[in-house]
Amino acid sequence: MTGATGFYVWEDCSDWNAGKSGPIPILLYSASWSDGSTTYYQYYNGKRYDVLQGGGNYYLTMTGDIWGQGGALFEADAIDPAYGAPPQPAYACSGFNH
């Protein structure tokens, strides 16, 4: 990997928080490779987890083909210390237990 850039995708808060709604930003990384290819991953608990992209949706490869369901990603926005992350955008995840 020659470098990586953090970015946020917007998912539905209810995928992780029952009874809540609205958008929630989920941190992903776009990794660049010397052959010109790009892959995606999430950083969590000190490890990188492969993420696949298709049709504008993302999912962790370890959770299977769950297109369009944000619950297939980690909610925790652990920052990859090697590459940092952009500032987290404001979001509106609301409902009971907020």
Side-chain angles (χ1 to χ4, degrees), residues 38-60:
T38 300
T39 59
Y40 302 94
Y41 70 92
Q42 275 197 298
Y43 187 84
Y44 184 69
N45 281 342
K47 293 176 61 178
R48 293 181 182 144
Y49 292 89
D50 292 335
V51 171
L52 292 181
Q53 187 271 341
N57 297 307
Y58 299 86
Y59 72 93
L60 289 163

Side-chain angles (χ1 to χ4, degrees), residues 66-83:
I66 309 175
W67 296 113
Q69 296 180 19
L73 299 171
F74 290 119
E75 177 186 6
D77 286 338
I79 296 172
D80 186 336
Y83 298 105

Side-chain angles (χ1 to χ4, degrees), residues 22-33:
I24 185 171
I26 303 297
L27 179 59
L28 297 176
Y29 286 88
S30 172
S32 303
W33 299 89

